[in-house]
Amino acid sequence: MDDPFSAGTGTGADTGTGSILRQPKAVWATAGASVVAFMGIGLVDPILPSIAKGLDATASQVSLLFTSYFLITAIAMLVTGFVSSRIGGKKTLLLGLALVVVFAGLAGTSGSVGELVGFRAGWGLGNALFVSTALAVIVGAAAGGSAAAILLYESALGLGMACGPLLGALLGNQSWRYPFFGTAFLMAIGFLCITVFLKEQPKPAQKTSLLDPLKALGHGGLASAAVSSFFYNYTFFTVLAFTPFVLNMTPYKSGAVFFAWGVLLAVFSVFVAPRLQARFGSLKVLGGSLVLLAVDVLVLGYGSHTTAIVCTILSGAFIGVNNTVYTELALGVSDAPRPVASAGYNFVRWFAAAAAPFFAPKIEGWSNIHIPFVVAAVTAALGALVVLVRRNALTHEAEELEPRHAVEDSVAVFAN
C-alpha cells in the first residue's frame, strides 16, 4: 500500500553558484534590516511575564501582543502588493520601517497593556509592509545571481527568529521597555542605510488589486495549503506565545531557550528540509513532521519542567521543516502569480497566528494548563489530515515545479 503522504515533489534547494558574501551595500542594508524585522516576532517572548507584572496584566491580556500584531499582519497581506506595485519597492520598505520605528518606540512608553497592544498592532502593519517587499528588493539589487541573494534573505530570516528572544532577554532583564526602544533604534539605523544605499527599484508592469489575493484562493491546491497551514500555525504560535508562561523563567533563561529553538528552526528550514524533500517528497515530509510536532507539544503540555524545555527547543526543528515545505507547496500548486498566491496564502495562515495567543490562555482558564497543548496537538494533526485528504490537489501542479525554484518559493511565501 502506498504511503498516503508520499505524493508530492521531491525538490530540494539549489543554492546556486553566486557567492552569498559578494553583494552590493544595498543588499546588505536590506538584509540587515530584515534580520531586525524578523527579530520583532519573537522579541517579546522572554519578557511576557515581566510585561504582565509591570503593567499589572493577566497572561491573556499580554498574549494580545501577538494577536494584535498578527491580526494586522494578516489583513495587511491584502494591502502590501497594492501599495508596492504603485509606489515602488524602496518607498514601501521605508514606509514599513518608519512605522516600525514609531510604533516600537511608542510601545516602550506604554502605560497600560491596552496601549501596548495597540502600538504592537501598528508595528505589525509596518513589519508587513517591509517584510513583504524585502525579498523582491534583495533579488533585484543582488549581484552574482538570485540564488545567493535568496539564501542570504532566508539566512536573515532564521537569524532574526533566533536572535529576537535573545535580544528581548538581554535588554528586558533590566526593564521590559528596553527591547522596544532597542528595536526602534536598530530599525532607524536600517532606515538610514536603505535611504543611502538602495536605489529605487522599478515598479511592476502590472498593478496588484486588493482582491487579487482572495481570488487566488479559489484555486483548490492553494486553498488546501492555506487551510492546512492555518491549523499548523495555531500550533506554532501556541508554542511561541503561551509556552513562556508555562516555563515561567527569568528573561535570560527564557531567552536562551527560545534562542536554541530559533537556531533549530533556522538550521532545519535552510539545510534539513530541502534534503528531506529530495529524498522522501514534500507531502510525506510535511505529514510526518506535523504528526511529530503534535506528539511534541502534547508531551510539552504534560511533561515535567525540564521536559517542557526540551520539547520547546525540539519543536523548532519541526517548525523549521514545516515552514519550508508549506511555502514551497503553496506556490507550487498555484496558477496565480507568486506574489499574489503568497499574499492569499498568508492572509489565511496569519489569522491562526492571531488566534492562538488569544485562545490558549482562555482555554487554560476554562480548564487547566495542559489542555491548550492538547488543542495545539489536535490542530497539528488536523493540518496533517488536510494534507492527506487533499494530497491530489496539493500535487497536481507542484510536480511541475522546477527544482531551482525551491529555495525562492520557500522564502517568498513566508516573507509575503
Side-chain angles (χ1 to χ4, degrees):
M1 180 180 296
D2 293 337
D3 189 316
F5 289 113
S6 61
T9 63
T11 61
D14 178 10
T15 60
T17 59
S19 173
I20 190 174
L21 300 177
R22 297 176 183 176
Q23 300 297 338
K25 292 180 180 179
V27 173
W28 286 114
T30 308
S34 297
V35 171
V36 182
F38 287 116
M39 285 169 61
I41 295 177
L43 178 81
V44 299
D45 251 32
I47 58 172
L48 286 176
S50 299
I51 293 174
K53 182 178 180 180
L55 295 178
D56 193 25
T58 65
S60 181
Q61 290 174 319
V62 173
S63 293
L64 291 175
L65 292 175
F66 284 99
T67 297
S68 62
Y69 182 89
F70 287 113
L71 182 62
I72 295 301
T73 297
I75 296 172
M77 289 300 108
L78 304 179
V79 178
T80 53
F82 177 88
V83 172
S84 63
S85 64
R86 285 164 174 77
I87 68 174
K90 180 177 180 177
K91 291 180 181 177
T92 304
L93 287 179
L94 293 176
L95 175 61
L97 286 170
L99 288 172
V100 172
V101 170
V102 171
F103 284 105
L106 289 173
T109 68
S110 299
S112 69
V113 70
E115 289 183 3
L116 185 55
V117 168
F119 293 142
R120 180 77 168 165
W123 184 346
L125 174 60
N127 213 52
L129 288 168
F130 174 82
V131 171
S132 64
T133 311
L135 175 64
V137 170
I138 288 177
V139 172
S146 64
I150 293 166
L151 182 57
L152 177 64
Y153 182 87
E154 188 165 351
S155 300
L157 185 158
L159 184 62
M161 291 291 286
C163 291
L166 192 61
L167 178 67
L170 292 174
L171 296 179
N173 194 58
Q174 301 299 319
S175 170
W176 64 264
R177 299 179 187 276
Y178 290 171
F180 298 108
F181 293 140
T183 300
F185 175 75
L186 292 174
M187 288 304 251
I189 294 176
F191 183 96
L192 293 175
C193 289
I194 288 177
T195 300
V196 173
F197 296 120
L198 181 64
K199 297 179 180 179
E200 182 57 81
Q201 304 296 295
K203 298 178 182 179
Q206 184 175 356
K207 295 181 179 179
T208 301
S209 77
L210 295 175
L211 295 179
D212 283 348
L214 296 178
K215 292 177 181 177
L217 290 171
H219 187 283
L222 181 61
S224 299
V227 170
S228 179
S229 184
F230 175 90
F231 288 122
Y232 153 66
N233 270 269
Y234 185 94
T235 308
F236 177 178
F237 285 94
T238 296
V239 173
L240 190 63
F242 184 65
T243 302
F245 292 105
V246 176
L247 298 180
N248 194 25
M249 304 166 73
T250 65
Y252 276 139
K253 292 180 179 179
S254 182
V257 168
F258 279 95
F259 174 73
W261 168 86
V263 169
L264 276 186
L265 187 155
V267 169
F268 274 74
S269 177
V270 177
F271 301 109
V272 178
R275 287 166 174 76
L276 291 176
Q277 288 175 270
R279 182 168 182 178
F280 300 107
S282 293
L283 295 190
K284 187 174 182 179
V285 170
L286 182 58
S289 183
L290 285 169
V291 170
L292 290 173
L293 179 61
V295 173
D296 181 78
V297 296
L298 197 60
V299 175
L300 192 163
Y302 281 94
S304 65
H305 190 263
T306 300
T307 301
I309 292 174
V310 173
C311 288
T312 299
I313 295 172
L314 183 60
S315 70
F318 306 126
I319 289 170
V321 170
N322 291 339
N323 284 349
T324 294
V325 181
Y326 264 121
T327 53
E328 183 181 334
L329 283 176
L331 295 191
V333 300
S334 177
D335 53 3
R338 289 178 180 176
V340 174
S342 172
Y345 165 78
N346 280 285
F347 173 73
V348 173
R349 77 182 186 117
W350 284 128
F351 275 110
F358 176 78
F359 284 111
K362 291 189 177 296
I363 293 172
E364 180 197 9
W366 299 332
S367 52
N368 58 61
I369 200 169
H370 307 298
I371 302 304
F373 294 100
V374 174
V375 174
V378 170
T379 55
L382 286 174
L385 181 62
V386 172
V387 174
L388 168 61
V389 174
R390 297 290 295 168
R391 60 189 182 277
N392 290 333
L394 286 168
T395 60
H396 177 65
E397 293 188 22
E399 292 174 347
E400 299 178 4
L401 184 68
E402 294 185 23
R404 66 176 178 272
H405 294 318
V407 175
E408 179 179 355
D409 293 346
S410 172
V411 181
V413 72
F414 187 93
N416 289 301

